[in-house]
Amino acid sequence: MYDDASYYAFVPSAYASEEKAPPTKHRRKTSLLAQPNEGAQANGSLTGGTTTVQGYEEETHGPPKATLSRRAQSYTDFHHAVRAVLRAESASDNQDSKKADEIKDDVEFTEWYQSIEDDLLEATHIDYRQVLLYNGYHDQLKFTESYLESLSSTTSATLEILSSLSQSFGAVEAQTTAFQKQCEDLVAEQHRVTRLADDIGENLQYYSYLEPITRRLNAPGAGNFVRGREFSDMLARLDECLGYMTSHPLQREAATYRSRYRLLLTRGLTLIRVHFVGALRDIAQDVTRRIADRQLNDTTMSALLYAKFRVGASELKETAQEIQKRAIVPEGAEPGAEAEYQSLMNELYTSYSATRGRLVIPLVVKKMADIAQAPSTSKDLVAFARTSIGYVKGVCSDEHELWRDWFEGEDGLYDFLESVCEPLYDHLRPRIIHENQLLKLCELCTLLQTRYMRDQDEELEMVDLNQLDFSTLIQSALEDAQTRLVFRTQAILRDEIENYKPKPEDLDYPTRNKQVTLPGSKHNGPVTSGRKGSVAEISIPKDPVIVEQSDSPSLRYGFDVEATFQGWYPTLRKAIWLLSRIYRLVNSAVFDDLAHEIVHQTTLSLHRASTLIAGRSMTTDAQLFLLKHLLLLKQQIVAFDIEYVTPDVSFDFSGVTNTFYELRDRGGLFDPRNLWRFVGGGLLPRVVENMLDAKVELDGRLRTIINDFTTSAAERMTHPINEKARGKKNFDATIALQKTQELTAKEVPLLRHKLDEYLDDVRTKETLVGAVQNQVVMNYESFYEWFAAGKRATGAKVGKKGKGREDDVWDADTFGDWAEEVFGVRGMGIIGVNGMNGGQSRSQSGSRNVSGSVSRDGSM
């Protein structure tokens, strides 16, 4: 508390009384206590003014005046100042003693003594002044003490007053805080009450609409109120009231008001329906009266039928939208549920469709009758369909545009347009049913698919909802045409393929194999290399060819049609003709079923023909006939993209029925021994596959006929060494080998000649020759193994690889090398199932498999 600088300001300053002190003759040194601190740091001594004694004689009635002098900062500071003064006095004494030693005469002594006397006098004055100074300082301290005590007591009283004021302020603050809190609570309560009043007012407004809306809708002439904007606002307000009642079901009368509001909404929408139907009826009556009054041309008729209906369409459309936007199925409804007001919207659709139908359909009926009686379209199905469908499409497009002017969306539109198309179906459907020409049905399907149907194979693009989808309307006509096309295809399949009775000239093979030589082709004789063309060789088209029954020889497809197909069996020709006609004209699944049935029946027909040819000619001719036509059939059906069809599996219970009849006739129906006896003979039903997949069946039959052909050809060449010949007595292996060599050398040219008569593709012929060569070598390997086993059994030696003597039996490798030279197979295609080249004479293991001559799918 006493460290404050103000405490030291009460020390009287020496400068304050310096002006009042009388001048002295002899100035004494200032006391150490009276020296200021400013000079202490400069010379180590305290300097400054002194305080006179007279200054303390005056009576002081207050604190001393403040001065700039200050006391020593610390005791150490004061100690250093005293030591500096003592050192100075000591130096002065030393100087005086030094001067006493230097006295030489009386004058110097007198001066020295005088100086000592002055010093003693001065020291006496200093001591006196110090006593006075100490006394004054003591009095000053006492005065300061009393002043500070009074100041302290005053401060204590002030602190007590301030403390009481602080307590008073705390009490006031607490009261103010409490008052503020009470005010805030009151304000919050005021807000709550205000919100409650607003909520009550807002909730009550949904109940307050009932009476005025009820009076307005039940007032006379309420129907005239439908056209105004206020009517739409009233319906929107009813929607809001219904939504509020639905979302607040716990309110007291919410259910009652909800039912009453719904009745009002139904009443309002019913007024819209009545107004819409009345306006539509007035327009239709006006148009009908004008049409009946006078004969009108097409332009005037179009203006009446369409322009007249567009006059007030926009206003009625907005009115109808009030019903349409409320005819929406609510969320969470069951599948198939109908919107609440959908029936009112359907009444609008029905009324519009009936009104327009009475005006438009009679005109369409009259136009269809005119087209049906026209000379150019009366007998031609395609011409009639093109003209009539074009006219109906134009009418439907106009009706579609007018519908968009009256309604939003297309609900009910296509039902109306189907009624407009009914006159077209009444004329077109009987013509389709009575059409027997397959070509006309194909042209009709092509016309409908290309001009009026959307292509399902193309990428789906953004469909313009404002455009008429006429394919939906013409779909039924296309289905009728496709159904009739399938029926006629099945009839032709049954009559001309399945039940075909071949003529003698159809079975005259190999005479029918004489082909027409194209200009520029040369006959070079039999070919043993795949690098030259065969006799009168004609390339078969790889793409599906439409074979017309009445086509004349032409180069329409880059080759002579008659020359190419004249050697084909009629059922094969008819099958390719049917496939090429119905391809892409019927549904893909239906086409696949038809294609499989056609290929299946064609294959059976070719097998029957091959059997008949075998009875009339050589077996080789029958085999090559079947092989040629199966290859042609396979080559042609590849381009039709026939998908795999699962076989139709069924159970045949005829065996069960026959077995029971047999047991009953024998009288042992209930004999357990008879039951067990006939279990394996027909008591259980048989699993029947009605039809195999066409490709699988065709490939299987190709493998079979190729194996039969190569086996029979090889057997003719190696029958002297076969198993039956080896079983005879006096069998000579050397003679048998010589006969085999002679037969092989003789049969190979005949084999090539036969192949040239039936086949044109060089690679196919070389592949078959190579397959026969492999079979011949395999037969010889079997013979040589038997021969070597017999030699080893008798202890004789078996010759090693090499020809050796000509009269000796060759080993298998030597015979294989000889066979390669005789058969001369070169440049053949790769047709092995395991990637084996047909020209390869032997496999790595030395065994040969004829099934390796065809691919897995039967292709060559």
Side-chain angles (χ1 to χ4, degrees), residues 4 42 85 130 172 175 238 251 260 268 271 290 315 326 377 452 476 592 608 687 689 696 717 721 832 838:
D4 195 345
V85 172
Q130 287 179 353
V172 172
Q175 295 175 1
L238 284 175
Q251 293 186 3
R260 297 183 66 179
L271 290 176
R290 294 190 180 186
E315 181 181 354
R326 291 171 178 84
T377 58
Y452 304 112
S476 59
D592 290 338
R608 291 193 295 268
V687 178
E689 291 186 356
V696 176
M717 299 178 186
I721 58 175

Side-chain angles (χ1 to χ4, degrees), residues 244-430:
Y244 177 81
M245 299 303 169
T246 304
S247 59
H248 298 81
L250 299 180
Q251 293 186 3
R252 192 167 189 176
E253 297 184 2
T256 303
Y257 275 80
R258 182 173 65 251
S259 61
R260 297 183 66 179
Y261 279 132
R262 193 167 297 280
L263 289 175
L264 291 176
L265 182 61
T266 304
R267 169 67 177 165
L269 298 181
T270 304
L271 290 176
I272 292 177
R273 177 183 61 81
V274 173
H275 171 70
F276 186 92
V277 173
L280 186 63
R281 182 177 59 252
D282 295 339
I283 297 174
Q285 289 176 356
D286 185 19
V287 172
T288 304
R289 185 178 63 256
R290 294 190 180 186
I291 293 176
D293 290 344
R294 56 187 180 276
Q295 297 293 332
L296 303 177
N297 54 22
D298 294 340
T299 304
T300 308
M301 185 70 69
S302 176
L304 284 176
L305 289 178
Y306 295 101
K308 184 68 175 178
F309 272 82
R310 287 190 173 95
V311 173
S314 59
E315 181 181 354
L316 292 175
K317 179 179 180 180
E318 294 179 359
T319 306
Q321 284 181 353
E322 297 295 336
I323 301 178
Q324 187 175 11
K325 65 185 180 182
R326 291 171 178 84
I328 300 175
V329 179
E331 296 182 0
E334 297 180 359
E338 188 178 14
E340 182 177 2
Y341 297 107
Q342 185 62 43
S343 59
L344 290 176
M345 199 65 203
N346 292 337
E347 290 182 13
L348 298 186
Y349 294 151
T350 304
S351 177
Y352 177 86
S353 300
T355 302
R356 291 296 302 174
R358 287 192 296 268
L359 296 173
V360 176
I361 292 179
L363 300 178
V364 177
V365 172
K366 182 178 180 299
K367 185 65 175 180
M368 289 296 103
D370 295 340
I371 296 175
Q373 296 175 2
S376 60
T377 58
S378 59
K379 296 182 180 180
D380 191 351
L381 173 63
V382 179
F384 173 81
R386 183 183 294 108
T387 304
S388 59
I389 293 175
Y391 170 76
V392 172
K393 183 180 180 181
V395 174
C396 291
S397 299
D398 296 337
E399 292 298 324
H400 175 265
E401 294 178 0
L402 185 61
W403 181 281
R404 302 288 296 186
D405 293 336
W406 280 77
F407 300 103
E408 186 70 27
E410 297 181 351
D411 294 340
L413 169 62
Y414 287 95
D415 295 335
F416 164 62
L417 294 181
E418 286 180 1
S419 64
V420 175
C421 295
E422 283 297 330
L424 170 64
Y425 299 147
D426 294 339
H427 286 79
L428 185 60
R429 187 175 290 113

Side-chain angles (χ1 to χ4, degrees), residues 357-592:
R358 287 192 296 268
L359 296 173
V360 176
I361 292 179
L363 300 178
V364 177
V365 172
K366 182 178 180 299
K367 185 65 175 180
M368 289 296 103
D370 295 340
I371 296 175
Q373 296 175 2
S376 60
T377 58
S378 59
K379 296 182 180 180
D380 191 351
L381 173 63
V382 179
F384 173 81
R386 183 183 294 108
T387 304
S388 59
I389 293 175
Y391 170 76
V392 172
K393 183 180 180 181
V395 174
C396 291
S397 299
D398 296 337
E399 292 298 324
H400 175 265
E401 294 178 0
L402 185 61
W403 181 281
R404 302 288 296 186
D405 293 336
W406 280 77
F407 300 103
E408 186 70 27
E410 297 181 351
D411 294 340
L413 169 62
Y414 287 95
D415 295 335
F416 164 62
L417 294 181
E418 286 180 1
S419 64
V420 175
C421 295
E422 283 297 330
L424 170 64
Y425 299 147
D426 294 339
H427 286 79
L428 185 60
R429 187 175 290 113
R431 290 172 176 265
I432 293 175
I433 294 175
H434 292 88
E435 182 62 54
N436 292 324
Q437 295 185 24
L438 187 69
L439 295 179
K440 292 295 182 181
L441 295 173
C442 292
E443 291 180 11
L444 178 59
C445 293
T446 303
L447 172 68
L448 296 178
Q449 287 181 344
T450 55
R451 296 189 61 178
Y452 304 112
M453 302 299 296
R454 292 178 178 174
D455 193 354
Q456 301 296 333
D457 296 336
E458 295 180 356
E459 296 182 359
L460 295 178
E461 299 178 355
M462 295 299 294
V463 179
D464 188 3
L465 298 179
N466 296 325
Q467 296 295 327
L468 173 66
D469 185 10
F470 190 69
S471 61
T472 305
L473 302 174
I474 207 65
Q475 181 67 34
S476 59
L478 177 61
E479 292 175 355
D480 293 340
Q482 290 176 337
T483 303
R484 182 62 180 171
L485 177 62
V486 172
F487 177 78
R488 289 301 304 154
T489 301
Q490 292 175 339
I492 294 174
L493 172 64
R494 180 184 63 252
D495 298 337
E496 302 187 26
I497 296 180
E498 183 178 358
N499 299 326
Y500 178 74
K501 302 298 182 183
K503 300 176 183 179
E505 57 268 21
D506 295 334
L507 304 176
D508 188 13
Y509 284 88
T511 305
R512 288 180 59 86
N513 288 328
K514 295 180 180 181
Q515 300 178 344
V516 179
T517 303
L518 293 177
S521 63
K522 297 180 180 181
H523 179 62
N524 297 324
V527 177
T528 57
S529 173
R531 300 182 182 181
K532 297 182 179 180
S534 61
V535 178
E537 183 175 328
I538 302 175
S539 61
I540 303 299
K542 296 183 178 180
D543 295 333
V545 177
I546 299 178
V547 185
E548 301 289 353
Q549 292 178 326
S550 59
D551 282 343
S552 59
S554 63
L555 298 178
R556 177 181 179 183
Y557 302 103
F559 58 91
D560 194 333
V561 176
E562 291 297 332
T564 300
F565 298 110
Q566 69 174 0
W568 288 21
Y569 192 65
T571 57
L572 176 61
R573 178 189 177 94
K574 182 62 67 175
I576 301 303
W577 181 80
L578 282 177
L579 290 175
S580 62
R581 277 303 178 185
I582 67 175
Y583 183 57
R584 295 188 183 278
L585 294 183
V586 295
N587 183 270
S588 59
V590 177
F591 174 78
D592 290 338

Side-chain angles (χ1 to χ4, degrees), residues 670-681:
F670 299 100
D671 189 354
R673 292 175 297 177
N674 291 333
L675 292 176
W676 284 106
R677 184 183 308 162
F678 290 100
V679 163

